Amino acid sequence: MSEDGTNRLMNRAHRFDVIVVGAGGAGLMAARYAAQHPGVSVAVISKLYPTRSHTGAAQGGVGAALGNVSEDHPEWHAFDTIKGGDYLTDQDVAERFAVEVIEAVYELEHMGLPFNRTPEGKIAQRKFGGHTREFGKSAVERACYAADRTGHMILQTLYQQSIKDRVNFFNEFHVLDMIMEDGACHGVVAYELATGEIHTFHAKATIIATGGNGRMFRVTSNAHALTGDLMSIAYRRGLPIEDPEFYQFHPTGLYKLGVLLTEGARGEGAILRNGDGERFMERYAPTIKDLAPRDMVSRAMYLEVREGRGAGPDKDYLHLDLTHIDAHIIETRLPDITEFARIYLGVDPVKELVPIQPTAHYAMGGIPTTIDTQVISDGQNTIVPGLYAAGEVACASIHGANRLGTNSLGDLIVFGRRAGIEAAKFAASESFTDLPAGVQDRTRELVDTVRKGKRTERVSHLRRELQDTMQEHASVFRTEAFLSRQVDILRELQERYKGVGVEDEGHQFNTELLEAIELGFLLDNAEQLVHAALNRTESRGAHSREDHKERDDTEWLKHTLIYKDGDGVRIDYKPVTLGKYEPKPRTY
Amino acid sequence: MQINVKIKRYNPEADARPYWAEYKLEARGSDRVLDVINHLKWEVDGTLAFRRSCAHGICGSDAMLINGVNRLACKVLVKDLGERITIEPIRGLPVLKDLIVDMEPFFDAYKAVMPFFINDDPPPPAERYQSAEDRAIFDETTKCILCAACTTSCPVFWTNGRYLGPAAIVNAHRFIFDSRDQGAAERLGVLNQANGLWRCRTAYNCTEACPRDIPITRVIEEVKRALLWRGA
Ligand SMILES: Cc1cc2nc3c(=O)[nH]c(=O)nc-3n(C[C@H](O)[C@H](O)[C@H](O)COP(=O)(O)OP(=O)(O)OC[C@H]3O[C@@H](n4cnc5c(N)ncnc54)[C@H](O)[C@@H]3O)c2cc1C
Ligand code: SF4
Ligand code: FES
C-alpha cells in the first residue's frame, strides 16, 4: 500500500507527485488521468473505501448530447445549463463542458460501463428536468442512464479501472489539513482511521475531490460522510469559497428520510400531485411542468404545503405518482427507487402514491477554480500553485445558481479528467520543495483539542440543532430575519462546539473522534452558506429571498467569494463570465 | 417500542476477547438498525465502532450479522426484527474493533478475478454497440456493492479463508457475460483453480444474504457451466 521504508515513522511520511483527496467519481477520474502522465507518481487518499463514495448513490443519469434518441446538440445543452443556472453559470465553462461530456461518456462506455441500450444498441437516453431541445421548446432525451444506478455504475467502472491501472490507495485516511506555504499547496496531512496515526503526504500537486456537504441539513439525500471537510479546511487556510448560498433542494426525497427518488422517475412520466390530487406543476411551469428545474419545483412544493394543499394528516408532504406507468418500465428502469419506497415507507410505487418532500441535495458552490480546475484565491483569478479541485467540492462555475439534473456526473468526469491532466502536467514540471517545519502541528492540535475536550456538549445534539435550524432558516425560502437569526445561532453553536469531546480514548477506529471533527467542518460550511445568503439581496436559482423576490442583474450578476476573517467573514466578488446568452427571465 | 439490543463488542486496545453488551432503548418500527446503533453511539456509548455512509443500502459499508442473518444495518427495519436484536460482525474476516472487520482479504479475492473491462481492440469514435438483450444477460451482477454479506455467510469461506467466495464470482460473471469483454478465458482460468469456483457447495446462504437480490447461486451455476463449455 505505501512505499518502502523500514521504520513506522518513515512510513508516516509519503511523497507522491500528485495526491488526489477523495475517491468518488471526480477523484478516481483525476487519478486515472494523472497516472497516465509518464513518470508521474499518484496516490488517492480517501476517508471511505472508494466504492463507498457517494457517487455510487447517483441514480438518474449523466447528461450528454449524444442524440441517440432524438436530435440534440452541445449548444442546446450549454444553453440549458446556463439558463438552468439562472445566468450565474460561467458560459465558457458550460460551453466546454457540453462538448467534452460527450467524449467523456463514450470513454466511460469504452471502460465497460454497462449503460442501458436503445433498440439499435446505442447508449439509452431519457428526459430530465431542464434539458430541452432548441433552446427551451420541449424536453429532450439527454440523460444517459444505467437503470437508476448510473452513479453506482460510474463509481464501480472507475474503481475497476483503477485496479487495472494499479493506482495507489490510502483508504480510510481522513485528511484534516492542507500543507500551505507562501500561497502554494504542498500536499495534505491525514489521520489514519485504523491506527490513529498522523501522516504527511508531500505532493507537488494536490487535487481536492471530496464531494458535498449536505449533512448540514436535517432532511438530505447525502451520506453521513458528506460533511464538507475540505471546504472548511480550505476556508480555515484562508482560501475563499465561491457561491455557497446556492444550495440545491431536490424535489423528490422520501418523506422525512430524504432518501432520493431520481428525477428520472419524472423523466419516465411520473407526476407530482398535491393533497387534492392536482398536478400542481401545470400552474408553475406550463410548458415542461413536472420536468421544470429543481429550484422551481421545490419552491412550488413549499408553496403548495404552505397554502394548505399538502397531503397526509399534517398536510406537510406531497405525492409522486407513478401508478399510471407500465409496471414493467418501473421494475426495469427504476428498480432501486421502487425498492427504497417499499422498504423505507412501506409504499408500493406501482400501485400507490409515494409521499415526498424536498431534500437537501447538492452544493452548487465550493472551492473556486479556473476552467482548468486550478484553485484560485481571489476575484482576480490568482492561482494557488499546486492546488486543483473537481467534482461537487469545486466551483468552476458550471452550475451557477442551480444545477440541472445529470450535470453533476458530467462535471465529475469532465473536470475530474481535466484536474488529473493539469495536475500531472504541473507536477512533471516542478521539483519537490522542502516542507515547512511543523507540518503536522495544526492537525495534532485539532485532534488533541477534541480528544481532551471537556465533553460539556454532545456532538450529536449540536449536530441535530445545526441541522434543524439550517432546515428552518436557510433552506428553500429565506428572509433577512431568518438568516440573521441563523447567524446568531451558528455563532452560539461554534461557541458551544468548544465544549465537545469524546468518550473513546482509543487510537484504533476512533470514529467518535472523527465525527466530532466533522461537525466542526460542517459548522464552517453552514457559516459560509448563511452569511453569503444574508448578503445576497436578490433571488436567483436556488437562492430564494422572500424579501427580495426578483433577480437583480444590475447589482448581483456576480459570484460571491467568502473568506474567513478572524471570528467573522469577509465577502468579495468575482465577475460572471458571460457569452452568447444574454440573461433573460427564466420561464419554462 | 422498547427494544433489547445485544451487540458483540471488542476493543483491541482494552479487551482480551469479544464480549456481549446489552442495551435497552426506545425505537420505532420504522427505524433502521443503523438508526438504532447510531443512537447508541450518539447517546449511550461513543466508543461503539462500525462503518456506515449512505444509510440507504447503496454504499455497502454496513453489512453485519443481524439476528443470525447477514444484512445491511441501513436496509433492515426494527419492525422486521422484533424487540430482540442481536448484532455481530460479519464472519470469516478478522475483527478489528466492534463491528468493523478487516476487508482487505475480501477485496484481494475480488481483485484476483480481474474485475475490470478487458477489450484491446481500438475503441470506435462513439460507443461500442451492445443489444439490449446482451446487456440484460449480466444486468443482475452489475448491482453488486461489494458489501461482503455473501462471502461472509458462506460456510466454505468460514473454513477456508482462501476460497475466492461468491462476491468474487459475481464480479467475474459481470464481465464473463458481457458481450463486449475479451477477458473471459483468463477469468475462468482463475476461477478454475484450487480455491475457485469448485469449492462452492451450493449452500444458498449467499443468495439469501445479498441485499441487492442478486441470484448468486444461479450466477455461480452459470459460471460453472461457462467453464465446462468453454473450458479454461
Ligand atoms: C442520492 C443522489 C443521487 C444523485 N443522482 C445524480 C444523478 O442522477 N445525476 C447527476 O449528475 N448527479 C447526481 N447526484 C449528484 C452527484 O452524485 C454528486 O454530486 C457526485 O457524485 C459527487 O461526486 P464527487 O466525486 O465530487 O464526490 P463523492 O462521490 O461524494 O466522493 C467524495 C470522496 O471524498 C472522500 N473524502 C471526503 N472528505 C474527505 C477527507 N476529509 N479526507 C479524505 N477523503 C475524504 C470520500 O471518502 C469520497 O471518496 C446525486 C446525488 C445524490 C446524493
Ligand atoms: S453479491 Fe450481494 S452480498 Fe455479495 S458483495 Fe455483492 S451486493 Fe454484497
Ligand atoms: S450505510 Fe451504505 S449500505 Fe448501509
Side-chain angles (χ1 to χ4, degrees), chain A residues 110 112 172 344 458 504 508, chain B residues 13 42 51 74 97 126 180:
Chain A
H110 298 160
E172 300 191 323
Y344 297 116
R458 261 190 190 279
D504 194 339
Q508 302 182 16
Chain B
E13 294 172 83
W42 295 340
R51 292 189 177 101
C74 65
K97 182 174 178 183
R180 301 166 300 169

Side-chain angles (χ1 to χ4, degrees), chain A residues 151-163:
Chain A
H152 165 80
M153 301 295 206
I154 290 181
L155 186 66
Q156 295 290 329
T157 301
L158 290 175
Y159 182 62
Q160 291 156 0
Q161 285 295 312
S162 74
I163 294 172

Side-chain angles (χ1 to χ4, degrees), chain B residues 51-91:
Chain B
R51 292 189 177 101
R52 88 287 177 267
S53 188
C54 73
H56 65 283
I58 226 66
C59 77
S61 294
D62 58 345
M64 300 171 190
L65 184 60
I66 300 172
N67 285 5
V69 181
N70 275 358
R71 12 191 171 199
L72 300 174
C74 65
K75 219 176 162 180
V76 54
L77 306 188
V78 168
K79 67 169 189 275
D80 300 320
L81 296 170
E83 284 143 44
R84 308 190 71 80
I85 300 176
T86 312
I87 309 173
E88 299 169 59
I90 45 178
R91 293 192 177 147

Side-chain angles (χ1 to χ4, degrees), chain A residues 75-87:
Chain A
E75 296 75 32
W76 297 353
H77 188 185
F79 169 77
D80 289 338
T81 302
I82 293 162
K83 179 179 175 191
D86 219 350
Y87 298 93

Side-chain angles (χ1 to χ4, degrees), chain B residues 106 143-151 166-167 170-171 206 209-212 214 216:
Chain B
F106 173 80
K143 291 182 182 168
C144 176
I145 55 173
L146 299 170
C147 69
C150 54
T151 297
V170 163
N171 283 282
C206 54
C210 179
R212 302 288 290 148
I214 300 171
I216 304 179

Side-chain angles (χ1 to χ4, degrees), chain A residues 374-397:
Chain A
Q374 296 145 304
V375 173
I376 54 177
S377 60
D378 57 33
Q380 287 73 52
N381 285 327
T382 305
I383 287 165
V384 180
L387 192 59
Y388 300 79
E392 189 170 340
V393 73
C395 181
S397 145

Side-chain angles (χ1 to χ4, degrees), chain A residues 21-27 45-50 52-63 128 150-151 155 173-176 209-212 221-223 225-227 229-230 233 260 262 294 361-362 390-393 403-410 412 521, chain B residues 56:
Chain A
V21 185
I45 308 174
S46 174
K47 69 177 180 182
L48 303 172
Y49 266 90
R52 315 303 183 214
S53 304
H54 212 53
T55 293
Q59 302 167 353
V62 44
F128 238 79
T150 314
L155 186 66
F173 276 65
H174 204 127
V175 169
L176 298 180
T210 48
S221 64
N222 281 197
L226 290 176
T227 48
D229 303 1
L230 270 288
I233 292 169
L260 197 79
T262 175
R294 293 173 180 176
H361 189 58
Y362 185 86
E392 189 170 340
V393 73
R403 171 174 74 85
L404 291 188
T406 79
N407 270 358
S408 173
L409 292 175
L412 306 185
F521 293 148
Chain B
H56 65 283

Side-chain angles (χ1 to χ4, degrees), chain A residues 30 135 242 245 261 303 324 359 365 398 457:
Chain A
F135 311 101
E242 181 173 348
E245 65 270 41
L261 303 182
L303 291 173
H324 54 287
T359 182
I398 162 180
E457 297 283 352

